[in-house]
């Protein structure tokens, strides 16, 4: 019974405290313009939201994202595109050509490599004439006593070539090529003889 | 807006001071405005509003606990120097009562506050919380007992 009474007393005390708290709270609450505040919040919440998320509107994440894309792009390019020696050579070549005095050096080197020593063309022609005589002797039956005469003729011809000089080189070269082709095509003895006499007549 | 003072009283039961309670009331009405179409046919506007208020307050309590746990917010006493009127009336006993209520388990606390602060009937509480009236009564009895025990022990 005592406990019950005690509990009731405590409960009444609690109720009183709560009433007191509510009274003070409501006084504060009534002073505030609740409706105006609420309207303001409703208006703020009903504003259209940004289409892009916050992190896309902020410059720092965008810069970081771009940097990541660029770096990953470079890495992927390294991985996917095969290494090209030819390309590297071209790049080095371009670099060297642009270097000071490199053009002159290259030109000098090129001219040295391509220039024949004086009189070499005549030597080639002479050599070819000898070969031509020997080739003809191998392919066709030529009496041995004729060979020295033929070689003599060739040597004579070589002197003639030397005199003509470098100007007529290309023309002679073409003619020789034509003759070479003709030799290859010769099959019969009569043809060969005709050809041989043509050469000797020159 | 008919129930705004009652809602405020319920929020005051969960909050530590009238300013926080007002903020919770605003939040409750804002949620109600946004979800006005979600009201169920079988529940009254009052029950629906109290359900929102209760959920809002419990969410806020959880967040406040988390903030305190992470040391982002220090535990404030209900008596704040901001409001002189409150400072006069909120005596030591009231502070103790608030602590006792806040230490109750959520299930007991919500029933206690809806009954003592919101003055809701057992039926209204049972419909708002979706529990039986018998459960409301037993929870309320246990809650009252726990608060009284705590007050007695502290005194």
């Amino acid at each position: 019974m005592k406990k019950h009474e005690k509990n009731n007393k405590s409960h009444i005390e609690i109720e009183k405290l709560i009433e007191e708290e509510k009274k003070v709270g409501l006084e504060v609450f009534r002073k505030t313009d609740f409706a105006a505040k609420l309207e303001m919040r409703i208006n703020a919440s009903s504003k259209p939201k940004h289409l892009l998320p916050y992190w896309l509107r902020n410059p720092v994440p965008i810069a970081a994202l771009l940097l990541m894309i660029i770096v990953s792009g470079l890495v992927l390019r390294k991985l996917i595109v095969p290494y090209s020696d030819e390309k590297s050579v071209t790049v080095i070549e371009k670099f060297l050509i642009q270097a000071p005095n490199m053009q002159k050096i290259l030109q000098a080197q090129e001219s040295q490599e391509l220039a024949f020593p004086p009189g070499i063309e005549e030597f080639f022609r002479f050599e070819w004439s000898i070969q031509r005589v020997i080739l003809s002797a191998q392919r066709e039956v030529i009496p041995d006593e004729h060979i020295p005469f033929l070689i003599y003729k060739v040597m004579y011809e070589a002197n003639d070539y030397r005199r003509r000089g470098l100007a007529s080189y290309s023309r002679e070269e073409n003619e020789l090529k034509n003759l070479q082709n003709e030799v290859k095509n010769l099959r019969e003895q009569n043809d060969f003889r005709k050809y041989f006499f043509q050469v000797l007549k020159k | 807006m008919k129930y705004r003072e009652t809602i405020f009283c319920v929020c005051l039961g969960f909050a530590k001071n009238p300013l926080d309670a007002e903020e919770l009331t605003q939040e409750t009405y804002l949620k109600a405005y946004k979800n006005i179409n979600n009201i169920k046919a079988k529940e009254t506007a009052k029950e629906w509003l109290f359900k929102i208020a209760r959920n809002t307050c419990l969410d806020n309590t959880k967040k406040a606990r988390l903030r305190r746990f992470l040391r982002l917010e220090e535990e404030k006493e209900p008596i704040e120097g901001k409001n002189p009127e409150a400072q006069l009336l909120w005596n030591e006993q009231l502070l103790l009562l608030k602590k006792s209520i806040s230490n109750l388990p959520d299930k007991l606390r919500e029933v206690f506050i809806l009954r003592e602060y919101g003055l809701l009937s057992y039926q209204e509480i049972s419909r708002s919380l979706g529990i039986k009236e018998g459960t409301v009564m037993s929870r309320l009895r246990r809650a009252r007992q726990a608060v009284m025990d705590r007050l007695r022990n502290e005194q």
Side-chain angles (χ1 to χ4, degrees):
Chain A
M1 191 67 182
K2 270 187 176 179
K3 194 185 175 187
H4 186 68
E5 278 176 16
K6 208 176 178 182
N7 274 351
N8 272 345
K9 197 186 167 189
S10 295
H11 185 232
I12 291 163
E13 277 177 15
I14 290 168
E15 279 183 338
K16 271 187 182 175
L17 279 171
I18 290 171
E19 278 303 313
E20 207 174 344
E21 188 193 359
K22 279 164 65 177
K23 192 181 157 193
V24 174
L26 282 170
E27 274 176 25
V28 174
F29 181 65
R30 281 167 193 154
K31 280 178 191 170
T32 60
D33 195 350
F34 182 80
K37 272 188 186 178
L38 183 64
E39 198 183 334
M40 219 159 69
R41 285 185 73 165
I42 288 170
N43 288 337
S45 69
S46 57
K47 274 183 186 173
K49 287 182 181 175
H50 289 277
L51 291 172
L52 293 170
Y54 171 75
W55 63 274
L56 270 180
R57 281 181 277 129
N58 200 351
V60 176
I62 289 173
L65 187 74
L66 281 174
L67 195 68
M68 273 176 65
I69 290 170
I70 291 167
V71 169
S72 52
L74 288 171
V75 170
L76 278 173
R77 193 165 169 262
K78 279 271 178 193
L79 290 174
I80 293 167
V81 178
Y83 180 76
S84 168
D85 279 339
E86 199 180 325
K87 204 174 176 183
S88 301
V89 169
T90 315
V91 171
I92 292 165
E93 206 172 55
K94 273 185 182 175
F95 172 76
L96 287 174
I97 285 168
Q98 283 167 1
N101 296 328
M102 189 51 74
Q103 196 73 28
K104 285 179 185 173
I105 293 165
L106 285 171
Q107 278 172 358
Q109 201 176 18
E110 205 174 345
S111 60
Q112 267 182 5
E113 277 175 6
L114 293 175
F116 290 110
I120 197 78
E121 291 87 357
E122 288 82 356
F123 177 76
F124 286 151
R125 275 157 193 75
F126 176 66
E127 190 189 33
W128 162 241
S129 303
I130 298 290
Q131 277 182 3
R132 205 168 55 185
V133 171
I134 294 164
L135 187 72
S136 306
Q138 280 176 345
R139 286 181 61 145
E140 300 298 332
V141 182
I142 296 172
D144 287 348
E145 60 270 24
H146 289 172
I147 292 172
F149 174 70
L150 290 173
I151 290 171
Y152 171 75
K153 283 287 282 181
V154 169
M155 286 173 79
Y156 182 77
E157 225 174 12
N159 279 330
D160 195 32
Y161 278 133
R162 197 176 291 114
R163 279 196 300 274
R164 284 178 204 169
L166 287 171
S168 61
Y169 172 74
S170 59
R171 187 170 52 84
E172 289 295 324
E173 188 73 16
N174 287 334
E175 280 178 13
L176 282 170
K177 275 182 186 171
N178 291 336
L179 286 171
Q180 195 177 6
N181 289 332
E182 281 174 26
V183 168
K184 281 179 186 170
N185 293 329
L186 289 173
R187 289 288 178 269
E188 291 180 10
Q189 197 176 356
N190 288 336
D191 289 336
F192 173 72
R193 286 189 180 205
K194 270 187 214 168
Y195 159 73
F196 199 66
F197 283 118
Q198 270 180 1
V199 172
L200 290 176
K201 276 176 191 173
K202 281 189 177 179
Chain B
M1 302 293 263
K2 189 177 161 186
Y3 303 108
R4 69 176 173 188
E5 288 195 354
T6 323
I7 296 282
F8 171 79
C9 288
V10 169
C11 293
L12 188 65
F14 283 99
K16 289 193 184 299
N17 56 55
L19 294 174
D20 287 351
E22 194 213 336
E23 176 66 26
L24 288 169
T25 313
Q26 290 265 351
E27 197 71 32
T28 303
Y29 273 91
L30 191 67
K31 282 182 184 173
Y33 172 79
K34 283 180 182 173
N35 300 293
I36 194 82
N37 297 324
N38 297 342
I39 188 166
K40 287 171 189 169
K42 63 179 180 181
E43 62 189 358
T44 62
K46 189 182 178 185
E47 288 161 8
W48 180 65
L49 262 177
F50 277 97
K51 199 198 281 180
I52 294 172
R54 169 250 187 191
N55 290 336
T56 307
C57 292
L58 284 178
D59 283 350
N60 183 64
T61 311
K62 282 175 195 166
K63 282 176 192 168
R65 275 180 196 156
L66 183 68
R67 282 198 294 271
R68 278 201 298 276
F69 176 73
L70 296 171
R71 307 244 176 216
L72 296 172
E73 186 183 86
E74 283 182 19
E75 192 165 9
K76 290 175 188 169
E77 297 299 328
I79 300 169
E80 289 284 309
K82 289 174 187 173
N83 190 341
E85 288 164 294
Q87 209 168 6
L88 287 169
L89 291 162
W90 285 37
N91 55 31
E92 201 178 321
Q93 261 193 321
L94 191 60
L95 177 67
L96 205 60
L97 174 71
K98 295 294 281 181
K99 276 189 178 175
S100 308
I101 296 169
S102 65
N103 282 334
L104 286 173
D106 284 349
K107 282 181 181 177
L108 301 188
R109 187 154 58 121
E110 61 190 13
V111 174
F112 182 85
I113 289 169
L114 287 174
R115 178 69 183 166
E116 302 294 346
Y117 282 83
L119 303 176
L120 266 71
S121 66
Y122 293 143
Q123 194 191 9
E124 283 171 331
I125 295 170
S126 80
R127 287 175 68 122
S128 285
L129 301 180
I131 53 174
K132 289 177 185 171
E133 277 186 46
T135 314
V136 173
M137 284 190 273
S138 73
R139 282 184 188 176
L140 186 64
R141 188 171 43 81
R142 280 161 58 202
R144 278 174 179 160
Q145 194 60 51
V147 171
M148 283 189 289
D149 288 349
R150 171 96 192 216
L151 285 171
R152 252 185 242 125
N153 290 338
E154 294 286 334
Q155 278 170 352

